[in-house]
C-alpha cells in the first residue's frame, strides 16, 4: 500500500506530536502517542494509513526529511518502506547512499569539500610534495580560476619532514595532495587535465583520508564500490612515495605520524578481484613496493625498531600537543602547569607549544600521546603514557601480516623475484636489485619467534604489549590479543588459550570491549574515561576477532560475538532514529550509542535522518566482499539466527529459546570443502580426554571421534580393514603407483622413474653451471637442493623397495634403479664445476644477502659434502679416492655378511643343560645320547646362557660365540685402513675427524670428553649392579669366600635370576600385553600427538597398487592449522620372510615446491597436472597461511609384531609386549621428527639433522611409553576395557633398569672402540694394526668385568660400517633425552607428558628445524641452558655428566 503525502505539513506535525524532546529525532526517549495518522496528509484521505511505533515513525521522519532536501512538495510513501525490517533498511542505506556520501576525491571538483578542516577552522590550503610538480601547476590554476574558494597552494620542502617544520606550519594547516591521474573521459584528456582518485572518509567531522579507517571501509566496498577501493590503494601508494608513510590522515599536522599499516592486505584483496584487468599485476607490484619501502624506512627503522627484541613500536615525530585537539582534551595534563605558572588552560597550552615554557615531562607525555594517535587507539589507558615504548601486539601482528603478504605475492604473482626500482629503494640498496620471497618468509619467522618470546604470556594465556624500556610485559588486557589469531601468528595452543582467557575477560552483551575494566581503572579527574577503553567497543576489534576465531575454527565463539554486535547495532538503529556510530558502549543495549569520552561519538550528532553512518561501523573485511560489518555478519548467520535478529532477540533470548547454531552450516563446512578441493588444507581437532586438563583445540568433534575409533579398528580388526581399505579389483578400480607414485604402477616403472630423474638432474646441473647473473646465482642453493631431492626420491624409495617388497620383479627393478642413480650421484659428487659455482656464490656478498638462513645452511652443508668427496684432488688422487670408496663399500658389505663365529656350535651334556627350558632343545642342531649340539649365537645360545647353572659350560659357550674368524678380522682391518686412507686423501687426520665434522661433537676429542664423563657417572650404578650379582652368585654356589668376582659369562645368568625373583608371581610375564592391542597403541599415539603437537593420525583407504602388501595401513597426518602434513605407511604385522628388525624409512622428505617448478612442469608436460609432475603424483599440500606448496613427507614404518591366535576361541587383535610398545613408540619418534621437521629444503628436513642428534626424538618417546598419564590415554584390556594397572609397568621398569649400568658400560666400550678404529691407528699403530689388541686395551680400561683374552668381539660389531666414528650418538641422545624428559616434561609429573605447552616447546625448539638450526642452539633453547649454546668439549662433557637415566 502506498500514499502520496504533503511533505512539509506532514513533517511539521510529525515533529510536533512525536518529537517531544525537540532534538529533531524520534526515539524511545520521546513520549508522544506513537501513532501518526499519515492518511490525513494525503489527498487520498487514507484514514487507515496510520504509522505506529518508534521505529516506523523514525523511518517516516527520515523519508520526509530526505524528500524535503530534494525540494519535493509531495512524496509517495509505501507502507513496506516504513515496515522494512531494521536489518534490511540498514543494508539498503549503506549500499545505496551512505558509501557515496562518504566518498571524496581531491581535485578541482572535490577540493572545496575536502580541503576545509572543521577541526582547525582555517582557510582552505593544499600542500604539494616536491615530486609532484604537475599537481602544483594544476592546483595553482584551480585557485586562479576559482578565487572565491580562497585556495592557498603551497610547496612542501625537499627531504624528510622534521618535527620543527611540522610544528612550524601548524598555524597554517592544510590538506596534503593525494594521487591524481588522467580523468576517465570518453574523449582524450588535455595534457594538464587531472582527476583525483576517490577515497573514503570516516564521516562526521572527518573529510580527509584516514589510513586504517579507509582500509576497513574499503573492505566493505569491494563488490559495490571497487573503483573507490582501487583509488584508496593508489592514494596510499602516493603517500608512501611522497610522504614516506601511510599517513594518519592527509593533513599537514599529520606529516610525522603514520597509522596501522594494512596496505598489503587490502592490495591483495583488490588484486583478487581485478586480476583479469591488464594493469592489475602492475598495481599490485606498486603496492608491494610501497609497503616494502614503508616497512623498511618507517616501521623497522630506528627509533621505531627495538633492536634488542626485534619488535617495532609506534614512534612518530613531532613537537608539542596535537593541533587537531582542543586544549580542553588535555585539561588533566595542563592543569598542574596552569597552576604552576599562574595561567589559564589555553594560556599554558599556547605557551608550551610556542616554546615560552619548557617542561620535559610534557615532552615525554606528548611523545607518547602522538604514538597513541599513530596506533589508531587514541586514547586508551593501555597505551597512554607508555605507547612510544611499547612493542604492541597490534603493530607487530600487522608487520607479520605484511611480511607474510609480501612473501606470498612475490612467490605467487611475481615469479619469486621482486625488482626494486630506484624510486622505491631504501638506504643502502642498489636500484633494480632483486629480492626473493624467502627474505620475507625469514622475516616472518623471526617476528613469530619474537612475538612468542616477548608478547605471549603462557601463564595468563593471552598476548600483551611489551615495554621495550622497562623490559617488562604490560598487564593491560586488550581486544588486540585476538590479532595474532587474525594474522595467523598464534599456534593452536595459543589460540585455545586466548579463547579460554580473552573472551571471558572482554566479552560483553554487545560484543568485545576494547579493554578490560581493570585496564581502564577507576574513572576520575586524573583518569578520565577514554574512548578505546572499557566499556566501549569498536568495529575493527570485532571484525579482526571474528576472523581470527573463524580462522582457528572457533565458530561458536565467533558466531556469539558477531551476533551480540549485530543485535546491538540493530537495536540502536531501530530505537534511535537510524543511528550508526563509530563506537558503542557494549556493556548495555538500551543506550549503547551514548559515549562519555574525550571525543564524544561521531555519527550520533544529526537531525532527522542519518546520511552517512560511520564508515568502519558499516564495513566488512571478509573475502565474500559484503560491504558492511552488518552485511558481513548477517551473511554468516544461520536462518534461525537471522530470524531471531529480525525479531530483536538478544543472544541469550535466542539460545534459551532453543536456538543452537549461530552460523549457517556452510560456514562450518567451508574449511572441510576447501580440504576436499585440495587447495588449502585445514585443521581438525581431537580432545577426548578432558580429565587430563589439556587445553582443548576446537574443530569437528564428530569427525575426530570417528577417526579415533577408526584407527583402532583398522589395526585390530582384519575384517574391518578389508571393508575400509576399499576395492582391490584393478579391473574395476584404477591402479595407483606404489606410494601413489605415478611411475610405479609396475616394476619397470622404476627404470623410467630413474631415467626421468637423471634427465631432471642434468637440467638442474646445466642451470647451476650456466648461472652467471646475480639473480641466477642466488638460486644455486635451491637448485642444488632440488638436485639432491631428485636423486634421493629415487634412491630412498628404491632402497626401501628392494629390501621390503615381496615381488621379485620390483626387487630387481628397484635394485637396478638404485644402481643407476647411485652411480650418477657419484659422478655429480666429483663434478668440480658444481663446487666452483657454489663457492663463488658463497663468496659473493650480493648473492648471500638474498639467501635465507635455510639457504645459507644448505650451501654450507653441500660445500662440506663436496669437500669430503675429494673433488679438489688431482685426477690421480681423485681416482684413488673413488677406488678406495668402492673398496670400502665392498668390504663393508662383506664384513656384515660374514659375521659369524669361528666356532658355530658346541656340544653340551644333558646334565649341563638340565636347568634350561626343554623347548630350547627343539632348536638344537643335533642330539645324541652323549649330549646336545647347540649354536653359539642367536636366541638358543642366549636362552641357554641365561638359564644354564653350570659355570664352566657357560664360559665355554660365551667364549665360543665371541671368537671371530681370522678372515673376518682381516676384512675388518682392510676396511678400516681403506677408510683411513680416504680420510687422508680428503685432508683429514682420521676418518672419525672427517665423519664428525657435521655432528654436534665436531671432533674425536669432544667425543672422548663425553664418553669419559659418562663412564664416570655410570661407575656407581654398575658397581652396585655387579655387587648385587655377586651376592646372588655366592648364595647359589654356597661360597662366601672364594667367589670374589662376577665373570663375563655370569652376567646374563644372574641378571635373569634377579629378574625372576623380582617379577610378581601373581601374573604371567606376558599379561601386560592384553592392554596393548596394536590398534589401541596406535590410537594412543594419535591422541598423544594431538595433545602435544596438535597433529593426529587419520586412517585413509589404500588405492590398488599403492601398498606392497595387503596388511599395510595408510595414515594421513593432520595438523590443526596446516591440514595434511605427511603420509605414513604402517607395515607392522609379521609375515614370512619379513625382516624382524623395526625401522623407519623416509621415502620422501619435505620440500617447498616453487612456482617456477610448476611452470617448468607445465611446459614440459602440458597434458599433465603440474603438481603431479613435480612430485611424481605423491602427496603435496598448500600452507593455509602462506599459500606455499610443499611436497609432503612420506614415511614407512616397518615392524614385525606377531599375532598368535592359534589357541584362541575368540580371534585376538595383535597384542604387544611392553618391549614392543617401546619399540613402536621409538620408531614413531623418528616418524614425528620427519613429519614436523617440514623445512623448505630437502637437505634440511626431518631426520637429516646431525647424526648424533637424530635419535633424540625417538629415545624421548620411550619415556612417554612408560608414563602413567600417557598410558591412561589408551592402555585398556582388549576384552574387558579395564584400564591398565600401572603397578605392572612399574614392576617391568624396575626389572628393565636393573641392568642399565652394565648395558651402558657395554655401549660406552663399543663407542670407544668405534672411535679408536676410526682414528689414525689403522695406519699408524706401532707394530701394525691389531684390532683385537685395541679391543682388549679399551675393555681393560673401561670394563668392570674381565673379558677373556681369547675373544675377538670386534668381528661382530656390524655397526662399525654404518656409524664410522659416530656410534656414541645413541648414548649421547639417551643422555639428552633423559634431561629433556626431566626438564621440559617434568619427568612426567603433574601430567607434564601431555601438556601442550611442553610439546610445543619441544616442537618449536627441536622438531620443526630438521637440520636448519644448529643442534646445540636447539638444546640451549629447549633446556634454557646457555652453557650448551656454543657446543664444544665442555658441552659434550656436561651431557656426559647428566648420565643415562632411562
Amino acid at each position: 500500500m502506498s500514499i502520496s503525502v504533503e511533505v512539509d505539513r506532514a513533517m511539521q506535525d510529525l515533529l510536533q506530536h512525536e518529537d517531544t524532546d525537540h532534538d529533531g529525532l524520534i526515539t524511545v526517549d520521546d513520549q508522544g502517542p506513537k501513532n501518526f495518522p499519515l492518511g490525513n496528509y494525503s489527498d487520498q484521505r487514507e484514514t487507515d494509513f496510520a504509522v505506529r511505533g518508534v521505529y516506523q515513525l523514525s523511518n517516516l521522519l527520515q523519508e520526509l526529511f530526505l524528500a524535503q532536501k530534494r525540494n519535493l512538495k509531495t512524496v509517495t510513501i509505501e507502507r513496506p518502506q516504513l515496515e522494512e525490517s531494521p536489518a534490511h533498511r540498514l543494508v539498503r542505506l549503506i549500499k545505496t547512499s551512505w558509501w557515496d556520501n562518504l566518498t571524496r576525491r581531491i581535485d578541482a571538483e572535490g577540493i572545496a569539500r575536502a580541503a576545509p578542516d572543521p577541526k582547525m577552522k582555517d582557510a582552505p590550503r593544499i600542500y604539494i610534495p616536491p615530486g609532484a610538480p604537475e599537481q602544483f601547476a594544476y592546483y595553482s590554476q584551480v585557485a586562479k580560476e576559482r578565487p572565491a574558494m580562497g585556495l592557498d597552494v603551497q610547496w612542501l620542502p625537499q627531504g624528510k619532514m622534521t618535527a620543527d617544520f611540522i610544528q612550524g606550519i601548524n598555524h597554517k594547516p592544510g590538506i596534503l595532495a593525494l594521487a591524481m591521474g588522467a580523468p576517465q573521459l570518453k574523449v582524450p584528456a588535455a595534457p594538464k587535465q587531472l582527476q583525483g582518485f576517490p577515497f573514503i572518509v570516516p564521516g562526521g567531522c572527518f573529510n580527509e583520508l584516514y589510513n586504517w579507517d579507509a582500509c576497513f571501509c574499503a573492505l566493505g566496498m569491494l563488490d559495490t564500490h571497487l573503483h573507490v577501493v582501487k583509488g584508496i590503494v593508489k592514494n596510499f601508494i602516493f603517500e608512501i612515495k611522497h610522504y614516506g608513510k601511510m599517513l594518519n590522515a592527509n593533513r599537514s599536522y599529520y606529516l610525522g605520524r603514520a597509522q596501522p599499516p594494512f596496505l598489503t592486505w587490502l592490495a591483495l584483496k583488490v588484486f583478487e578481484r581485478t586480476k583479469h584487468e591488464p594493469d592489475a599485476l602492475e598495481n599490485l607490484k606498486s603496492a608491494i613496493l610501497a609497503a616494502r619501502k614503508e616497512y623498511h624506512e618507517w616501521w623497522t627503522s630506528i627509533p621505531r625498531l627495538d633492536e634488542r627484541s626485534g619488535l617495532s613500536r609506534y614512534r612518530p615525530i613531532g613537537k608539542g600537543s596535537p593541533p587537531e585537539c582542543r586544549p580542553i582534551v588535555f585539561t588533566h595534563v595542563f592543569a598542574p602547569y596552569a597552576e604552576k605558572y599562574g595561567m589559564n588552560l589555553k594560556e599554558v597550552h599556547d605557551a608550551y607549544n610556542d616554546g615560552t615554557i619548557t617542561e620535559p615531562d610534557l615532552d615525554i607525555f606528548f611523545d607518547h600521546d602522538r604514538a597513541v594517535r599513530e596506533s589508531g587507539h587514541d586514547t586508551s589507558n593501555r597505551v597512554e603514557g607508555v605507547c612510544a615504548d611499547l612493542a604492541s601486539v597490534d603493530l607487530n601482528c600487522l608487520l607479520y601480516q605484511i611480511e607474510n603478504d609480501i612473501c606470498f605475492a612475490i612467490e605467487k604473482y611475481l615469479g619469486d623475484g621482486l625488482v626494486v626500482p630506484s624510486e622505491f629503494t631504501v638506504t643502502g640498496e642498489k636500484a633494480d636489485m632483486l629480492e626473493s620471497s624467502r627474505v620475507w618468509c625469514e622475516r616472518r619467522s623471526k617476528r613469530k619467534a619474537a612475538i612468542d618470546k616477548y608478547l605471549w604470556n603462557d601463564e595468563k594465556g593471552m598476548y600483551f604489549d611489551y615495554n621495550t624500556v622497562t623490559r617488562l610485559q604490560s598487564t593491560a588486557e586488550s581486544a588486540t590479543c585476538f590479532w595474532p589469531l587474525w594474522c595467523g601468528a598464534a599456534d593452536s595452543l595459543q589460540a585455545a588459550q586466548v579463547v579460554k582467557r580473552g573472551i571471558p575477560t572482554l566479552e560483553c552483551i554487545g560484543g568485545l570491549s576494547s579493554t578490560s575494566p581493570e585496564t581502564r581503572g577507576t574513572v576520575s579527574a586524573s583518569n578520565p574515561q577514554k574512548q578505546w577503553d572499557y566499556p566501549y567497543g569498536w568495529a575493527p576489534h570485532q571484525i579482526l576477532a571474528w576472523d581470527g576465531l573463524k580462522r582457528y575454527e572457533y565458530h561458536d565463539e565467533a558466531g556469539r560475538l558477531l551476533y551480540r554486535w549485530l543485535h546491538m547495532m540493530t537495536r540502536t538503529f531501530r530505537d534511535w532514529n537510524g543511528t550508526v556510530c563509530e563506537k558503542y558502549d557494549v556493556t548495555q543495549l538500551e543506550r549503547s550509542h551514548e559515549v562519555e569520552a574525550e571525543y564524544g561519538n561521531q555519527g550520533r550528532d544529526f537531525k532527522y535522518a542519518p546520511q552517512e553512518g560511520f564508515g568502519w561501523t558499516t564495513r566488512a573485511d571478509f573475502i565474500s566482499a559484503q560491504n558492511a560489518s552488518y552485511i558481513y555478519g548477517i551473511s554468516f548467520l544461520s536462518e534461525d539466527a537471522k530470524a531471531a535478529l529480525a525479531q530483536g532477540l538478544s543472544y541469550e533470548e535466542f539460545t534459551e529459546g532453543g536456538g543452537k547454531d549461530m552460523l549457517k552450516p556452510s560456514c562450518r563446512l567451508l574449511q572441510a570443502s576447501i580440504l576436499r578441493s585440495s587447495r588449502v588444507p585445514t585443521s581438525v581437532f581431537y580432545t577426548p580426554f578432558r580429565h587430563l586438563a589439556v587445553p582443548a583445540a576446537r574443530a569437528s568433534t564428530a569427525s575426530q571421534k570417528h577417526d579415533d575409533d577408526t584407527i583402532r579398528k583398522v589395526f585390530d580388526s582384519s575384517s574391518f580393514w578389508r571393508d575400509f581399505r576399499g576395492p582391490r579389483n584393478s579391473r574395476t578400480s584404477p591402479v595407483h603407483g606404489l606410494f601413489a607414485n605415478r611411475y610405479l604402477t609396475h616394476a619397470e616403472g622404476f627404470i623410467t622413474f630413474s631415467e626421468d630423474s637423471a634427465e631432471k638432474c642434468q637440467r638442474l646441473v646445466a642451470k647451476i653451471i650456466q648461472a652467471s647473473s646475480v639473480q641466477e646465482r642466488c638460486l644455486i642453493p635451491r637448485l642444488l637442493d632440488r638436485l639432491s631431492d631428485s636423486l634421493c626420491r629415487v634412491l630412498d624409495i628404491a632402497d626401501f623397495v628392494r629390501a621390503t617388497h615381496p615381488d621379485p620383479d620390483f626387487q630387481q627393478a628397484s635394485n637396478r634403479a638404485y644402481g643407476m642413480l647411485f652411480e650418477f650421484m657419484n659422478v655429480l659428487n666429483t663434478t668440480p664445476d658444481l663446487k666452483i659455482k657454489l663457492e663463488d656464490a658463497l663468496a659473493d656478498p650480493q648473492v648471500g644477502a638474498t639467501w635465507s638462513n635455510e639457504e645459507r645452511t644448505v650451501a654450507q652443508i653441500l660445500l662440506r659434502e663436496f669437500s669430503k668427496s675429494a673433488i679438489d684432488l688431482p685426477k690421480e688422487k681423485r681416482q684413488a679416492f673413488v677406488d678406495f670408496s668402492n673398496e670400502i663399500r665392498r668390504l663393508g658389505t662383506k664384513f656384515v655378511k660374514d659375521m659369524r663365529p669361528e666356532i658355530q656350535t658346541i656340544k653340551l651334556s644333558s646334565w649341563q643343560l638340565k636347568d634350561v627350558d626343554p623347548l630350547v632343545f627343539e632348536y638344537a642342531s643335533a642330539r645324541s645320547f652323549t649330549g646336545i649340539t647347540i649354536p653359539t649365537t642367536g636366541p638358543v645360545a642366549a636362552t641357554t646362557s641365561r638359564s644354564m647353572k653350570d659355570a664352566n659350560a657357560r664360559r665355554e659357550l660365551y667364549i665360543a660365540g665371541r671368537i671371530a674368524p681370522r678372515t673376518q678380522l682381516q676384512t675388518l682391518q682392510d676396511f678400516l685402513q681403506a677408510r683411513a686412507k680416504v680420510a687422508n686423501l680428503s685432508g683429514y687426520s682420521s676418518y672419525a675427524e672427517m665423519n664428525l665434522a657435521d655432528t654436534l661433537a665436531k671432533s674425536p676429542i669432544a667425543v672422548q670428553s663425553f664418553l669419559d664423563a659418562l663412564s664416570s657417572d655410570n661407575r656407581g650404578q654398575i658397581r652396585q649392579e655387579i655387587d648385587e650379582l655377586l651376592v646372588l652368585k655366592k648364595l647359589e654356589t654356597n661360597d662366601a669366600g672364594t667367589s670374589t668376582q662376577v665373570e663375563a659369562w655370569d652376567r646374563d645368568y644372574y641378571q635373569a635370576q634377579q629378574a625372576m625373583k623380582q617379577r610378581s608371581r601373581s601374573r604371567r610375564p606376558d599379561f601386560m600385553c592384553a592392554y596393548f592391542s596394536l590398534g589401541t597403541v596406535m590410537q594412543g599415539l594419535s591422541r598423544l600427538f594431538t595433545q602435544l603437537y596438535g597433529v593426529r593420525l587419520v586412517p585413509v583407504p589404500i588405492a590398488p597398487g599403492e601398498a606392497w602388501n595387503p596388511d599395510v595401513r595408510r595414515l594421513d597426518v593432520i595438523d590443526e592449522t596446516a591440514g595434511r602434513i605427511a603420509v605414513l605407511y604402517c607395515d607392522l604385522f609379521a609375515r614370512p620372510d619379513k625382516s624382524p628388525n623395526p625401522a623407519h624409512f623416509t621415502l620422501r622428505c619435505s620440500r617447498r615446491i616453487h612456482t617456477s617448478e610448476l611452470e617448468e612442469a607445465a611446459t614440459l608436460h602440458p597434458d599433465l597436472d603440474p603438481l603431479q609432475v613435480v612430485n611424481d603424483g605423491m602427496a603435496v599440500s598448500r600452507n593455509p597461511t602462506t599459500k606455499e606448496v610443499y611436497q609432503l613427507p612420506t614415511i614407512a614404518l616397518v615392524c614385525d609384531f606377531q599375532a598368535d591366535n592359534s589357541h584362541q576361541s575368540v580371534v585376538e587383535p595383535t597384542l604387544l609386549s611392553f618391549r614392543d610398545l617401546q619399540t613402536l613408540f621409538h620408531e614413531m619418534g623418528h616418524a614425528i621428527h620427519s613429519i614436523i621437521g617440514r623445512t623448505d629444503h630437502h637437505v634440511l628436513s626431518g631426520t637429516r639433522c646431525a647424526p648424533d642428534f637424530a635419535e633424540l626424538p625417538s629415545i624421548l618417546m620411550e619415556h612417554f611409553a612408560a608414563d602413567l598419564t600417557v598410558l591412561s590415554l589408551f592402555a585398556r584390556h582388549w576384552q574387558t576395557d579395564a584400564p591398565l594397572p600401572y603397578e605392572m609397568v612399574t614392576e617391568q621398569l624396575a626389572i628393565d633398569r636393573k641392568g642399565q649400568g652394565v648395558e651402558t658400560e657395554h655401549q660406552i666400550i663399543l663407542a670407544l672402540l668405534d672411535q679408536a678404529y676410526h682414528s689414525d691407528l689403522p695406519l699408524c699403530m706401532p707394530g701394525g694394526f691389531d684390532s683385537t689388541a685395541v679391543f682388549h686395551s679399551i675393555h681393560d680400561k673401561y670394563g668392570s668385568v674381565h673379558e677373556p683374552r681369547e675373544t675377538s668381539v670386534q668381528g661382530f660389531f656390524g655397526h662399525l660400517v654404518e656409524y664410522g666414528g659416530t656410534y656414541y650418538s645413541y648414548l649421547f641422545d639417551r643422555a639428552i633425552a633423559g634431561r629433556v624428559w626431566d626438564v621440559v616434561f617434568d619427568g612426567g609429573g603433574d601430567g607434564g607428558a601431555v601438556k601442550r605447552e611442553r610439546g610445543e616447546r619441544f616442537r618449536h625448539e627441536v622438531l620443526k628445524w630438521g637440520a636448519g638450526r644448529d643442534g646445540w642452539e636447539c638444546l640451549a633453547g629447549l633446556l634454557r641452558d646457555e652453557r650448551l649454546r656454543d657446543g664444544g668439549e665442555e658441552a659434550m662433557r656436561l651431557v656426559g655428566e647428566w648420565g643415562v637415566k632411562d
Side-chain angles (χ1 to χ4, degrees), residues 934-955:
I934 63 171
T936 55
T937 59
V940 172
T943 302
T944 303
S945 296
R946 288 195 294 267
S947 54
M948 186 166 55
K949 185 177 289 188
D950 189 304
N952 290 327
R954 288 202 309 271
R955 180 181 186 279

Side-chain angles (χ1 to χ4, degrees), residues 857 859-869 988 997-998:
T857 302
Q860 292 164 347
I861 288 174
L862 293 176
L863 186 61
R864 286 197 297 270
E865 291 299 319
F866 276 127
S867 299
K868 288 180 184 178
S869 64
Y988 294 92
D998 290 328

Side-chain angles (χ1 to χ4, degrees), residues 673-684:
S673 67
I674 291 173
L675 177 61
R676 286 194 294 271
S677 73
S678 300
R679 289 198 299 268
V680 185
T682 185
S683 59
V684 274

Side-chain angles (χ1 to χ4, degrees), residues 443-461:
R443 288 179 181 134
R444 180 189 64 208
S445 298
K446 288 180 179 178
R447 190 170 304 278
K448 159 67 173 164
I451 288 172
D452 286 346
K453 182 174 181 179
Y454 294 103
L455 306 185
W456 172 249
N457 188 308
D458 200 44
E459 181 179 348
K460 296 181 180 179

Side-chain angles (χ1 to χ4, degrees), residues 709-710 713-715 717-725:
D709 292 340
T710 302
K713 291 176 183 176
V714 298
F715 285 98
S717 170
S718 56
S719 59
F720 180 88
W721 168 244
R722 283 193 296 271
D723 293 337
F724 178 83
R725 72 185 179 187

Side-chain angles (χ1 to χ4, degrees), residues 1140-1316:
N1141 298 320
H1144 153 274
F1145 298 86
T1146 301
L1147 305 173
R1148 181 146 302 180
C1149 292
S1150 167
R1151 186 181 68 84
R1152 182 180 168 198
I1153 298 173
H1154 292 265
T1155 304
S1156 57
E1157 297 175 54
L1158 296 173
E1159 293 170 349
E1160 178 184 320
T1163 301
L1164 292 172
H1165 302 279
D1167 55 329
L1168 297 175
D1169 180 352
L1171 274 178
Q1172 294 286 306
V1173 175
V1174 167
N1175 205 38
D1176 309 320
M1178 295 176 68
V1180 296
S1181 73
R1182 191 182 299 275
N1183 186 299
T1185 301
T1186 65
K1187 306 299 186 277
E1188 296 159 350
V1189 179
Y1190 286 80
Q1191 63 186 38
L1192 292 185
T1194 302
I1195 300 154
L1197 203 62
V1198 178
C1199 292
D1200 195 47
F1201 299 137
Q1202 301 285 338
D1204 182 8
N1205 299 321
S1206 56
H1207 300 94
Q1208 303 292 331
S1209 58
V1210 178
V1211 176
E1212 288 185 354
T1214 294
L1215 303 178
L1216 307 187
S1217 68
F1218 187 65
R1219 182 62 56 85
D1220 290 336
L1221 173 76
Q1222 291 173 310
T1223 296
L1224 185 53
F1225 267 63
H1226 179 99
E1227 298 305 329
M1228 283 299 292
H1230 286 306
I1232 202 67
H1233 197 181
S1234 295
I1235 290 163
I1236 292 179
R1238 297 175 65 228
T1239 57
D1240 284 0
H1241 295 82
H1242 152 88
V1243 169
L1244 304 179
S1245 64
T1247 56
R1248 292 180 181 270
C1249 58
D1252 52 358
F1253 200 52
E1255 290 289 338
L1256 171 60
S1258 55
I1259 297 172
L1260 182 63
M1261 281 295 292
E1262 295 180 32
H1263 290 274
F1264 286 97
D1267 179 76
L1268 170 62
T1269 312
V1270 173
L1271 290 172
S1272 71
L1273 292 174
F1274 65 92
R1276 308 186 76 82
H1277 196 282
W1278 74 275
Q1279 287 178 304
T1280 67
D1281 204 40
L1284 170 71
Y1286 190 67
E1287 59 269 18
M1288 297 174 68
V1289 180
T1290 305
E1291 178 184 281
Q1292 183 63 51
L1293 291 174
I1295 293 169
D1296 292 345
R1297 289 167 180 167
K1298 267 298 181 183
Q1300 185 183 76
V1302 171
E1303 176 59 25
T1304 299
E1305 180 185 87
H1306 175 62
Q1307 295 300 321
I1308 291 172
I1309 290 171
L1310 291 179
L1312 289 163
L1313 189 63
D1314 177 47
Q1315 288 296 302

